[in-house]
Amino acid sequence: MKHSTATVLALLAVVAQYPSHAAPADPKVIIIGAGMSGISAGNRLSEAGITDFVILEATDRMGGRIHKTEFAGVNVEMGANWVEGVNGDEMNPIWNMANGTGGLNLRTFRSDFNHLSSNTYKQDGGLYDKKCVEKVIKRMDEVEESGSKLSGTLHHSGQQDMSVMSMQRLTSQMPDGPSTPVDMVVDYYQHDFQFAEPPRVTSLQNTQPLPTFNDFGDDVYFVADQRGYESVVHHVAEQYLKTDPESGAIVDPRLKLNTVVREIAYSPIGVVVRTEDDKVYRADYVIVSASLGVLQTDLIRFEPQLPSWKSMSIYKFNMAVYTKIFLKFPKRFWPEGPGTEFFLYASGRRGYYPVWQQLEKQYPGSNVLLVTITDDESRRIEQQSDEQTMEEAMEVLRKMFPEKDVPEATEILVPRWWSNRFFKGTFSNWPIGVSRYEFDLIRAPVGTVYFTGEHTSEKYNGYVHGAYLAGIDSANILINCAKKNMCTYNVKGKHD
Ligand SMILES: Cc1cc2nc3c(=O)[nH]c(=O)nc-3n(C[C@H](O)[C@H](O)[C@H](O)COP(=O)(O)OP(=O)(O)OC[C@H]3O[C@@H](n4cnc5c(N)ncnc54)[C@H](O)[C@@H]3O)c2cc1C
Ligand SMILES: *[C@@H]1O[C@H](CO)[C@@H](O)[C@H](O)[C@H]1NC(C)=O
């Protein structure tokens, strides 16, 4: 059929009223969550020519667990802070964006953990002898090494998996695991500071060796840029979402902030998504990027309920909690200069204000300390007042530096990721008792419902690069179905 010129002009007029970035009434895909993985999935769909989607985000911002905030006159990171896995055989895709040519050129600092033996404080003050801590670190490193070897010999079904702590008992003749304050804080630094859960919980087979460092390198770079680490999410978003030419802000109507999804009704012919303010969105497919912690709650109701193979895999994996407490002081009283950035507090209570970082290099003149706590201590601290937490931290600092005049902190920042119903923790950790097969089920689609997020990353769960790559992978699974009609997704069988 041939259109007359008048019809074509009329059509053009209609098209002009709905510029290509208008939100489609019935999009093909609904993406839930505008964190790194959801934004990455949208980018991959766009590349494949699927542009009729909406992104529904519960909070008032894009970025999710990558979140800068103003503290002590500078922007600090409440969530992810490091690009982890740099200077290895493969290029970490996040490092490529953060530092690479044509990238963001973010202000970053390679973290140097080589001086901990000179910076480990006793429970009641003063430093441990350097040689003594060196010995502890050396022994623990040897244990780790034999742990990695042992891990490689375990049957790939996962049936022989054990906790990292079991491995420590096996290989180091420490029947109780590390139990003196100095052993415990070094152990904490080596494990909890990375995985946010203790070695008693963490799977040996699935964390040693760790693909992140094996593939991308052992170095980690601390991001301290006033644009925030979240600018990497923005960087991906602006590849396909409309931005305001002046402010650079995302103004694409397909991104809907302050939109809390409460129900996903799904069937072979499509999905109906309901939000807290009773709006209804329909599409052919939905991609859920909400954190593992959120999936373990009833914030999002699935109709029908997810099959038990799916919910089992979700409930068996762990959402860990990692809390970065920032403190500002009127003056500095801690050692400064090369080799002083990180220091440890060896309490008899494992995990009590254990790992400290002075940020003079990153934020000169700001007089800010960062202390990291995890797991049960995090949950405890989230439930008490910030004043109480400040008191505890001050007591620890005064114990560490008995000879110094330690002034009261003037400001404190205590992020509460665990209490927040849109996160319910900070990142996933692989516990004993979950095989590779069961982990892969977390990623597997259920009919028209697809899953993404750091907890679905094939090799890098827990990390920003894991979230980014998972977004691409999950979008690819959906693209195979939508464009090539390849809709069956096979997870390797339990005993394959
Ligand atoms: C304190 C902390 C420290 C970390 N440190 C590092 C680090 O140094 N290096 C590193 O690589 N990684 C680190 N991580 C992990 C990293 O931040 C995450 O792996 C990654 O950002 C997760 O991205 P995501 O897209 O999977 O999830 P998210 O960022 O959680 O994105 C999911 C989005 O879904 C939204 N959402 C949830 N529920 C709903 C709903 N019902 N309806 C609509 N939207 C919803 C959320 O608001 C969120 O924006 C850290 C994380 C935290 C919190
Ligand atoms: C980061 O980028 C700079 C400038 O391009 C380069 O000189 C440097 O080697 C890069 N760093 C790493 C660790 O790749």
Side-chain angles (χ1 to χ4, degrees), residues 69-117:
T69 191
E70 216 244 82
F71 178 76
V74 288
N75 285 330
V76 299
E77 303 292 337
M78 292 197 286
N81 219 143
W82 279 277
V83 182
E84 306 213 26
V86 182
N87 292 325
D89 295 340
E90 283 176 54
M91 172 63 113
N92 182 326
I94 302 301
W95 186 245
N96 197 35
M97 286 182 234
N99 190 64
T101 31
L104 292 159
N105 196 19
L106 290 183
R107 199 166 156 265
T108 59
F109 298 82
R110 193 179 72 84
S111 290
D112 177 0
F113 296 103
N114 287 329
H115 306 277
L116 289 173
S117 53

Side-chain angles (χ1 to χ4, degrees), residues 143-407:
V143 171
E144 291 302 287
E145 222 166 279
S146 32
S148 283
K149 283 205 194 101
L150 173 62
S151 173
T153 68
L154 302 176
H155 192 268
H156 63 256
S157 66
Q159 280 160 345
Q160 297 172 314
D161 192 19
M162 66 183 79
S163 70
V164 171
M165 190 185 208
S166 300
M167 175 278 288
Q168 291 173 329
R169 294 189 195 114
L170 252 168
T171 56
S172 73
Q173 280 94 46
M174 278 192 279
D176 306 324
S179 51
T180 66
V182 63
D183 282 1
M184 286 194 289
V185 79
V186 170
D187 183 51
Y188 182 96
Y189 156 74
Q190 287 191 341
H191 300 101
D192 308 47
F193 188 56
Q194 189 63 232
F195 299 112
E197 288 194 320
R200 194 173 355 97
V201 172
T202 303
S203 154
L204 173 69
Q205 190 166 16
N206 297 293
T207 63
Q208 285 191 20
L210 197 69
T212 282
F213 300 121
N214 235 21
D215 297 349
F216 301 126
D218 286 329
D219 287 343
V220 300
Y221 280 73
F222 188 91
V223 178
D225 190 291
Q226 292 309 290
R227 289 168 288 175
Y229 194 168
E230 64 196 53
S231 53
V232 299
V233 181
H234 198 279
H235 183 73
V236 177
E238 65 188 24
Q239 318 282 317
Y240 69 99
L241 292 175
K242 192 180 168 213
T243 53
D244 179 80
E246 301 220 319
S247 65
I250 305 285
V251 291
D252 198 302
R254 289 175 297 174
L255 172 62
K256 301 199 179 302
L257 302 175
N258 302 306
T259 304
V260 182
V261 170
R262 295 306 305 270
E263 188 187 280
I264 299 173
Y266 62 100
S267 76
I269 57 161
V271 295
V272 182
V273 166
R274 246 170 254 278
T275 64
E276 201 148 75
D277 55 359
D278 274 329
K279 289 215 176 69
V280 172
Y281 295 83
R282 284 165 218 278
D284 295 344
Y285 308 97
V286 62
I287 304 182
V288 184
S289 85
S291 77
L292 180 72
V294 169
L295 292 176
Q296 290 170 346
T297 70
D298 59 2
L299 181 67
I300 303 175
R301 203 171 72 86
F302 289 88
E303 183 56 49
Q305 266 180 24
L306 291 174
S308 63
W309 62 263
K310 185 71 183 182
S311 42
M312 281 292 270
S313 67
I314 288 171
Y315 290 129
K316 284 182 80 173
F317 217 64
N318 279 8
M319 186 64 163
V321 196
Y322 180 102
T323 309
K324 302 165 67 184
I325 300 172
F326 292 86
L327 291 154
K328 181 180 172 63
F329 295 90
K331 64 168 194 182
R332 300 192 286 281
F333 53 86
W334 50 84
E336 293 180 78
T340 60
E341 183 173 350
F342 293 93
F343 51 104
L344 302 177
Y345 177 61
S347 170
R349 176 171 165 185
R350 193 180 184 282
Y352 193 71
Y353 298 90
V355 182
W356 293 77
Q357 189 177 357
Q358 55 114 336
L359 299 172
E360 231 17 67
K361 212 168 49 177
Q362 289 86 348
Y363 308 112
S366 64
N367 303 344
V368 170
L369 288 181
L370 165 57
V371 57
T372 299
I373 57 171
T374 53
D375 200 43
D376 283 345
E377 282 295 313
S378 290
R379 294 185 186 89
R380 181 181 71 80
I381 277 172
E382 283 202 20
Q383 295 176 77
Q384 72 184 17
S385 70
D386 289 359
E387 289 72 37
Q388 182 66 41
T389 304
M390 180 155 9
E391 245 172 65
E392 291 173 3
M394 288 309 310
E395 196 192 336
V396 166
L397 285 168
R398 290 191 170 123
K399 276 191 172 162
M400 274 196 273
F401 302 104
E403 263 102 70
K404 295 275 163 60
D405 165 32
V406 178

